[in-house]
PDB file of all heavy atoms in Angstrom:
ATOM      1  N   GLN N  93     215.689  58.058  59.425  1.00 93.00           N
ATOM      2  CA  GLN N  93     214.964  59.255  60.017  1.00 93.00           C
ATOM      3  C   GLN N  93     213.696  59.577  59.249  1.00 93.00           C
ATOM      4  O   GLN N  93     212.655  59.766  59.977  1.00 93.00           O
ATOM      5  CB  GLN N  93     215.891  60.392  59.818  1.00 93.00           C
ATOM      6  CG  GLN N  93     215.740  61.347  60.922  1.00 93.00           C
ATOM      7  CD  GLN N  93     217.038  62.333  60.845  1.00 93.00           C
ATOM      8  OE1 GLN N  93     218.071  61.829  60.642  1.00 93.00           O
ATOM      9  NE2 GLN N  93     216.876  63.533  61.224  1.00 93.00           N
ATOM     10  N   MET N  94     213.642  59.572  57.965  1.00 95.00           N
ATOM     11  CA  MET N  94     212.452  60.014  57.231  1.00 95.00           C
ATOM     12  C   MET N  94     211.339  58.983  57.229  1.00 95.00           C
ATOM     13  O   MET N  94     210.190  59.248  57.632  1.00 95.00           O
ATOM     14  CB  MET N  94     212.784  60.433  55.767  1.00 95.00           C
ATOM     15  CG  MET N  94     213.432  61.754  55.581  1.00 95.00           C
ATOM     16  SD  MET N  94     214.565  62.373  56.677  1.00 95.00           S
ATOM     17  CE  MET N  94     213.656  63.300  57.994  1.00 95.00           C
ATOM     18  N   GLY N  95     211.830  57.703  57.133  1.00 96.00           N
ATOM     19  CA  GLY N  95     210.789  56.658  57.225  1.00 96.00           C
ATOM     20  C   GLY N  95     210.024  56.712  58.525  1.00 96.00           C
ATOM     21  O   GLY N  95     208.762  56.746  58.594  1.00 96.00           O
ATOM     22  N   PRO N  96     210.918  56.602  59.521  1.00 94.00           N
ATOM     23  CA  PRO N  96     210.229  56.575  60.956  1.00 94.00           C
ATOM     24  C   PRO N  96     209.273  57.861  61.081  1.00 94.00           C
ATOM     25  O   PRO N  96     208.184  57.756  61.809  1.00 94.00           O
ATOM     26  CB  PRO N  96     211.445  56.506  61.886  1.00 94.00           C
ATOM     27  CG  PRO N  96     212.450  55.872  61.238  1.00 94.00           C
ATOM     28  CD  PRO N  96     212.359  56.297  59.655  1.00 94.00           C
ATOM     29  N   SER N  97     209.691  58.969  60.581  1.00 94.00           N
ATOM     30  CA  SER N  97     208.839  60.148  60.804  1.00 94.00           C
ATOM     31  C   SER N  97     207.594  59.903  60.119  1.00 94.00           C
ATOM     32  O   SER N  97     206.411  60.245  60.564  1.00 94.00           O
ATOM     33  CB  SER N  97     209.607  61.303  60.179  1.00 94.00           C
ATOM     34  OG  SER N  97     210.525  61.901  61.038  1.00 94.00           O
ATOM     35  N   ILE N  98     207.588  59.339  58.847  1.00 96.00           N
ATOM     36  CA  ILE N  98     206.504  59.254  58.004  1.00 96.00           C
ATOM     37  C   ILE N  98     205.589  58.112  58.635  1.00 96.00           C
ATOM     38  O   ILE N  98     204.336  58.298  58.708  1.00 96.00           O
ATOM     39  CB  ILE N  98     206.742  58.911  56.469  1.00 96.00           C
ATOM     40  CG1 ILE N  98     207.450  60.141  55.955  1.00 96.00           C
ATOM     41  CG2 ILE N  98     205.594  58.515  55.740  1.00 96.00           C
ATOM     42  CD1 ILE N  98     208.117  59.920  54.687  1.00 96.00           C
ATOM     43  N   PHE N  99     206.154  57.006  59.073  1.00 95.00           N
ATOM     44  CA  PHE N  99     205.121  56.018  59.688  1.00 95.00           C
ATOM     45  C   PHE N  99     204.705  56.519  61.103  1.00 95.00           C
ATOM     46  O   PHE N  99     203.649  55.969  61.504  1.00 95.00           O
ATOM     47  CB  PHE N  99     205.807  54.655  59.565  1.00 95.00           C
ATOM     48  CG  PHE N  99     206.908  54.239  60.440  1.00 95.00           C
ATOM     49  CD1 PHE N  99     206.890  54.201  61.849  1.00 95.00           C
ATOM     50  CD2 PHE N  99     208.163  53.696  59.766  1.00 95.00           C
ATOM     51  CE1 PHE N  99     207.928  53.744  62.491  1.00 95.00           C
ATOM     52  CE2 PHE N  99     209.128  53.310  60.505  1.00 95.00           C
ATOM     53  CZ  PHE N  99     209.175  53.309  61.953  1.00 95.00           C
ATOM     54  N   THR N 100     205.382  57.323  61.742  1.00 94.00           N
ATOM     55  CA  THR N 100     204.901  57.868  63.077  1.00 94.00           C
ATOM     56  C   THR N 100     203.882  58.965  62.860  1.00 94.00           C
ATOM     57  O   THR N 100     202.835  59.017  63.640  1.00 94.00           O
ATOM     58  CB  THR N 100     206.037  58.290  63.946  1.00 94.00           C
ATOM     59  OG1 THR N 100     207.041  57.300  63.918  1.00 94.00           O
ATOM     60  CG2 THR N 100     205.685  58.531  65.444  1.00 94.00           C
ATOM     61  N   PHE N 101     204.190  59.976  62.050  1.00 95.00           N
ATOM     62  CA  PHE N 101     203.426  61.154  61.929  1.00 95.00           C
ATOM     63  C   PHE N 101     202.567  61.238  60.665  1.00 95.00           C
ATOM     64  O   PHE N 101     201.657  62.067  60.634  1.00 95.00           O
ATOM     65  CB  PHE N 101     204.216  62.357  62.115  1.00 95.00           C
ATOM     66  CG  PHE N 101     204.972  62.384  63.487  1.00 95.00           C
ATOM     67  CD1 PHE N 101     206.319  62.348  63.586  1.00 95.00           C
ATOM     68  CD2 PHE N 101     204.344  62.562  64.579  1.00 95.00           C
ATOM     69  CE1 PHE N 101     207.083  62.302  64.675  1.00 95.00           C
ATOM     70  CE2 PHE N 101     205.063  62.632  65.845  1.00 95.00           C
ATOM     71  CZ  PHE N 101     206.437  62.436  65.790  1.00 95.00           C
ATOM     72  N   GLY N 102     202.939  60.601  59.650  1.00 97.00           N
ATOM     73  CA  GLY N 102     202.401  60.817  58.237  1.00 97.00           C
ATOM     74  C   GLY N 102     200.946  60.208  58.174  1.00 97.00           C
ATOM     75  O   GLY N 102     200.456  59.374  58.969  1.00 97.00           O
ATOM     76  N   THR N 103     200.398  60.662  57.074  1.00 98.00           N
ATOM     77  CA  THR N 103     198.994  60.038  56.722  1.00 98.00           C
ATOM     78  C   THR N 103     199.282  58.605  56.111  1.00 98.00           C
ATOM     79  O   THR N 103     200.330  58.320  55.421  1.00 98.00           O
ATOM     80  CB  THR N 103     198.240  60.976  55.789  1.00 98.00           C
ATOM     81  OG1 THR N 103     198.962  60.978  54.541  1.00 98.00           O
ATOM     82  CG2 THR N 103     198.176  62.345  56.274  1.00 98.00           C
ATOM     83  N   ALA N 104     198.138  57.992  56.056  1.00 98.00           N
ATOM     84  CA  ALA N 104     198.141  56.638  55.277  1.00 98.00           C
ATOM     85  C   ALA N 104     198.566  56.798  53.869  1.00 98.00           C
ATOM     86  O   ALA N 104     199.323  56.003  53.408  1.00 98.00           O
ATOM     87  CB  ALA N 104     196.709  55.967  55.408  1.00 98.00           C
ATOM     88  N   ASP N 105     198.024  57.836  53.319  1.00 98.00           N
ATOM     89  CA  ASP N 105     198.449  58.120  51.962  1.00 98.00           C
ATOM     90  C   ASP N 105     199.907  58.326  51.658  1.00 98.00           C
ATOM     91  O   ASP N 105     200.587  57.779  50.884  1.00 98.00           O
ATOM     92  CB  ASP N 105     197.654  59.322  51.398  1.00 98.00           C
ATOM     93  CG  ASP N 105     198.056  59.655  50.003  1.00 98.00           C
ATOM     94  OD1 ASP N 105     197.961  58.864  49.118  1.00 98.00           O
ATOM     95  OD2 ASP N 105     198.464  60.806  49.732  1.00 98.00           O
ATOM     96  N   GLN N 106     200.455  59.092  52.672  1.00 98.00           N
ATOM     97  CA  GLN N 106     201.965  59.392  52.557  1.00 98.00           C
ATOM     98  C   GLN N 106     202.726  58.093  52.777  1.00 98.00           C
ATOM     99  O   GLN N 106     203.708  57.816  52.107  1.00 98.00           O
ATOM    100  CB  GLN N 106     202.317  60.473  53.588  1.00 98.00           C
ATOM    101  CG  GLN N 106     201.859  61.834  53.284  1.00 98.00           C
ATOM    102  CD  GLN N 106     201.941  62.849  54.415  1.00 98.00           C
ATOM    103  OE1 GLN N 106     202.274  62.376  55.568  1.00 98.00           O
ATOM    104  NE2 GLN N 106     201.528  64.021  54.252  1.00 98.00           N
ATOM    105  N   GLN N 107     202.213  57.321  53.700  1.00 98.00           N
ATOM    106  CA  GLN N 107     202.906  56.081  53.980  1.00 98.00           C
ATOM    107  C   GLN N 107     203.029  55.114  52.811  1.00 98.00           C
ATOM    108  O   GLN N 107     203.993  54.516  52.514  1.00 98.00           O
ATOM    109  CB  GLN N 107     202.175  55.370  55.228  1.00 98.00           C
ATOM    110  CG  GLN N 107     202.575  56.199  56.499  1.00 98.00           C
ATOM    111  CD  GLN N 107     201.609  55.894  57.673  1.00 98.00           C
ATOM    112  OE1 GLN N 107     200.574  55.234  57.488  1.00 98.00           O
ATOM    113  NE2 GLN N 107     201.812  56.512  58.877  1.00 98.00           N
ATOM    114  N   GLN N 108     201.822  55.170  52.184  1.00 98.00           N
ATOM    115  CA  GLN N 108     201.751  54.218  50.917  1.00 98.00           C
ATOM    116  C   GLN N 108     202.673  54.781  49.846  1.00 98.00           C
ATOM    117  O   GLN N 108     203.219  54.120  49.110  1.00 98.00           O
ATOM    118  CB  GLN N 108     200.279  54.057  50.381  1.00 98.00           C
ATOM    119  CG  GLN N 108     199.668  52.851  51.199  1.00 98.00           C
ATOM    120  CD  GLN N 108     198.112  53.213  51.194  1.00 98.00           C
ATOM    121  OE1 GLN N 108     197.560  53.874  50.203  1.00 98.00           O
ATOM    122  NE2 GLN N 108     197.330  52.604  52.105  1.00 98.00           N
ATOM    123  N   ARG N 109     202.663  56.073  49.802  1.00 98.00           N
ATOM    124  CA  ARG N 109     203.359  56.723  48.657  1.00 98.00           C
ATOM    125  C   ARG N 109     204.805  56.587  48.870  1.00 98.00           C
ATOM    126  O   ARG N 109     205.652  56.459  47.748  1.00 98.00           O
ATOM    127  CB  ARG N 109     202.905  58.164  48.446  1.00 98.00           C
ATOM    128  CG  ARG N 109     203.340  58.741  47.231  1.00 98.00           C
ATOM    129  CD  ARG N 109     202.434  59.627  46.533  1.00 98.00           C
ATOM    130  NE  ARG N 109     201.225  60.303  47.241  1.00 98.00           N
ATOM    131  CZ  ARG N 109     200.886  61.476  47.069  1.00 98.00           C
ATOM    132  NH1 ARG N 109     201.583  62.258  46.163  1.00 98.00           N
ATOM    133  NH2 ARG N 109     199.843  62.008  47.686  1.00 98.00           N
ATOM    134  N   TYR N 110     205.381  56.897  49.961  1.00 98.00           N
ATOM    135  CA  TYR N 110     206.786  57.094  50.156  1.00 98.00           C
ATOM    136  C   TYR N 110     207.669  56.023  50.705  1.00 98.00           C
ATOM    137  O   TYR N 110     208.758  55.832  50.509  1.00 98.00           O
ATOM    138  CB  TYR N 110     207.096  58.415  51.055  1.00 98.00           C
ATOM    139  CG  TYR N 110     206.517  59.616  50.225  1.00 98.00           C
ATOM    140  CD1 TYR N 110     205.423  60.251  50.863  1.00 98.00           C
ATOM    141  CD2 TYR N 110     207.111  60.040  49.063  1.00 98.00           C
ATOM    142  CE1 TYR N 110     204.801  61.386  50.089  1.00 98.00           C
ATOM    143  CE2 TYR N 110     206.524  61.140  48.335  1.00 98.00           C
ATOM    144  CZ  TYR N 110     205.501  61.837  48.979  1.00 98.00           C
ATOM    145  OH  TYR N 110     204.930  62.932  48.288  1.00 98.00           O
ATOM    146  N   LEU N 111     206.907  55.176  51.579  1.00 98.00           N
ATOM    147  CA  LEU N 111     207.785  54.117  52.343  1.00 98.00           C
ATOM    148  C   LEU N 111     208.359  53.038  51.395  1.00 98.00           C
ATOM    149  O   LEU N 111     209.470  52.604  51.744  1.00 98.00           O
ATOM    150  CB  LEU N 111     206.879  53.579  53.555  1.00 98.00           C
ATOM    151  CG  LEU N 111     206.565  54.658  54.600  1.00 98.00           C
ATOM    152  CD1 LEU N 111     205.875  53.952  55.735  1.00 98.00           C
ATOM    153  CD2 LEU N 111     207.800  55.311  55.154  1.00 98.00           C
ATOM    154  N   PRO N 112     207.501  52.471  50.385  1.00 98.00           N
ATOM    155  CA  PRO N 112     208.036  51.394  49.643  1.00 98.00           C
ATOM    156  C   PRO N 112     209.326  51.706  49.001  1.00 98.00           C
ATOM    157  O   PRO N 112     210.300  50.881  48.969  1.00 98.00           O
ATOM    158  CB  PRO N 112     206.899  51.136  48.644  1.00 98.00           C
ATOM    159  CG  PRO N 112     205.698  51.618  49.235  1.00 98.00           C
ATOM    160  CD  PRO N 112     206.059  52.923  50.095  1.00 98.00           C
ATOM    161  N   ALA N 113     209.503  52.971  48.424  1.00 98.00           N
ATOM    162  CA  ALA N 113     210.768  53.158  47.735  1.00 98.00           C
ATOM    163  C   ALA N 113     211.911  53.316  48.660  1.00 98.00           C
ATOM    164  O   ALA N 113     213.138  52.957  48.239  1.00 98.00           O
ATOM    165  CB  ALA N 113     210.596  54.462  46.831  1.00 98.00           C
ATOM    166  N   ILE N 114     211.669  53.818  49.956  1.00 98.00           N
ATOM    167  CA  ILE N 114     212.671  53.822  50.848  1.00 98.00           C
ATOM    168  C   ILE N 114     213.134  52.437  51.198  1.00 98.00           C
ATOM    169  O   ILE N 114     214.371  52.009  51.338  1.00 98.00           O
ATOM    170  CB  ILE N 114     212.266  54.563  52.295  1.00 98.00           C
ATOM    171  CG1 ILE N 114     212.006  55.998  51.864  1.00 98.00           C
ATOM    172  CG2 ILE N 114     213.430  54.430  53.240  1.00 98.00           C
ATOM    173  CD1 ILE N 114     211.562  56.845  53.019  1.00 98.00           C
ATOM    174  N   LEU N 115     212.140  51.509  51.499  1.00 98.00           N
ATOM    175  CA  LEU N 115     212.417  50.099  51.894  1.00 98.00           C
ATOM    176  C   LEU N 115     213.196  49.403  50.652  1.00 98.00           C
ATOM    177  O   LEU N 115     213.993  48.541  50.966  1.00 98.00           O
ATOM    178  CB  LEU N 115     211.190  49.430  52.132  1.00 98.00           C
ATOM    179  CG  LEU N 115     210.607  49.840  53.476  1.00 98.00           C
ATOM    180  CD1 LEU N 115     209.107  49.298  53.505  1.00 98.00           C
ATOM    181  CD2 LEU N 115     211.331  49.285  54.550  1.00 98.00           C
ATOM    182  N   ALA N 116     212.920  49.775  49.430  1.00 98.00           N
ATOM    183  CA  ALA N 116     213.536  49.130  48.296  1.00 98.00           C
ATOM    184  C   ALA N 116     214.934  49.744  48.087  1.00 98.00           C
ATOM    185  O   ALA N 116     215.672  49.207  47.155  1.00 98.00           O
ATOM    186  CB  ALA N 116     212.616  49.415  47.088  1.00 98.00           C
ATOM    187  N   GLY N 117     215.384  50.569  48.889  1.00 97.00           N
ATOM    188  CA  GLY N 117     216.654  51.306  48.640  1.00 97.00           C
ATOM    189  C   GLY N 117     216.675  52.120  47.396  1.00 97.00           C
ATOM    190  O   GLY N 117     217.728  52.329  46.879  1.00 97.00           O
ATOM    191  N   GLU N 118     215.562  52.553  46.852  1.00 97.00           N
ATOM    192  CA  GLU N 118     215.640  53.231  45.720  1.00 97.00           C
ATOM    193  C   GLU N 118     215.409  54.815  45.862  1.00 97.00           C
ATOM    194  O   GLU N 118     215.637  55.512  44.802  1.00 97.00           O
ATOM    195  CB  GLU N 118     214.472  52.792  44.907  1.00 97.00           C
ATOM    196  CG  GLU N 118     214.988  51.622  43.921  1.00 97.00           C
ATOM    197  CD  GLU N 118     213.947  50.686  43.411  1.00 97.00           C
ATOM    198  OE1 GLU N 118     212.802  51.170  43.389  1.00 97.00           O
ATOM    199  OE2 GLU N 118     214.291  49.517  42.902  1.00 97.00           O
ATOM    200  N   ALA N 119     215.056  55.265  46.963  1.00 97.00           N
ATOM    201  CA  ALA N 119     214.907  56.738  47.155  1.00 97.00           C
ATOM    202  C   ALA N 119     215.854  57.288  48.083  1.00 97.00           C
ATOM    203  O   ALA N 119     216.159  56.749  49.052  1.00 97.00           O
ATOM    204  CB  ALA N 119     213.435  56.984  47.633  1.00 97.00           C
ATOM    205  N   THR N 120     216.452  58.477  47.616  1.00 98.00           N
ATOM    206  CA  THR N 120     217.328  59.145  48.519  1.00 98.00           C
ATOM    207  C   THR N 120     216.645  60.428  48.945  1.00 98.00           C
ATOM    208  O   THR N 120     215.943  61.165  48.274  1.00 98.00           O
ATOM    209  CB  THR N 120     218.554  59.492  47.740  1.00 98.00           C
ATOM    210  OG1 THR N 120     219.258  58.309  47.359  1.00 98.00           O
ATOM    211  CG2 THR N 120     219.567  60.273  48.623  1.00 98.00           C
TER     212      THR N 120
END
Side-chain angles (χ1 to χ4, degrees):
Chain N
Q93 213 161 325
M94 276 44 267
S97 281
I98 293 169
F99 69 64
T100 310
F101 301 111
T103 62
D105 175 58
Q106 288 165 355
Q107 288 159 355
Q108 276 156 23
R109 194 144 14 145
Y110 298 110
L111 298 181
I114 297 179
L115 288 165
E118 269 162 14
T120 299

